[in-house]
Amino acid sequence: PSEFRKAHQARMTLSANCTRLQVVEDFLLDLIIRANSKDLLDEDWCRGARRYCSFADRLTALVGEGLHEQQLRTKMSRTQHWKLAGSVAVLMCAMIDVEVA
């Protein structure tokens, strides 16, 4: 159960970070689209844009780590399922052998 909770919490955190990243990217895109040439020369405007870009960079790194961890968990889960499937196949063959004999 605790492993399931950890995996669930990791998925929820990844989902939240993906949403945050999308919101920040949309905000930055809107900010750039609405900017005129005068805004681009304004130091306050540039500082704000750099702050949002830096926030987006941190979120991108978190999302990348989360996706990598999710991929590793999925791979480990598949490996465990394949082992179980092999055991089930051996047991079924043994049952068939017993029925035939």
Side-chain angles (χ1 to χ4, degrees):
S2 65
E3 191 63 35
F4 176 75
R5 284 186 188 144
K6 285 180 185 178
H8 178 70
Q9 184 63 34
R11 281 193 304 273
M12 295 301 292
T13 302
L14 176 60
S15 177
N17 284 338
C18 286
T19 302
R20 287 182 188 120
L21 179 59
Q22 186 174 9
V23 168
V24 170
E25 287 176 340
D26 287 348
F27 180 79
L28 272 170
L29 185 59
D30 187 59
L31 188 67
I32 292 170
I33 289 171
R34 293 176 186 266
N36 56 36
S37 59
K38 185 176 130 184
D39 290 336
L40 297 176
L41 298 175
D42 183 34
E43 185 60 35
D44 289 334
W45 186 91
C46 290
R47 189 178 310 116
R50 280 194 299 268
R51 186 181 66 199
Y52 283 110
C53 284
S54 128
F55 186 56
D57 288 342
R58 286 192 304 270
L59 282 172
T60 301
L62 288 173
V63 167
E65 286 176 21
L67 289 172
H68 180 69
E69 290 173 8
Q70 186 178 36
Q71 183 181 21
L72 290 176
R73 274 193 306 275
T74 301
K75 186 176 181 180
M76 183 183 299
S77 176
R78 285 185 187 150
T79 301
Q80 291 171 349
H81 284 104
W82 277 113
K83 288 178 184 176
L84 182 60
S87 299
V88 169
V90 168
L91 289 173
M92 288 179 71
C93 288
M95 288 173 59
I96 292 171
D97 288 345
V98 167
E99 287 179 6
V100 171

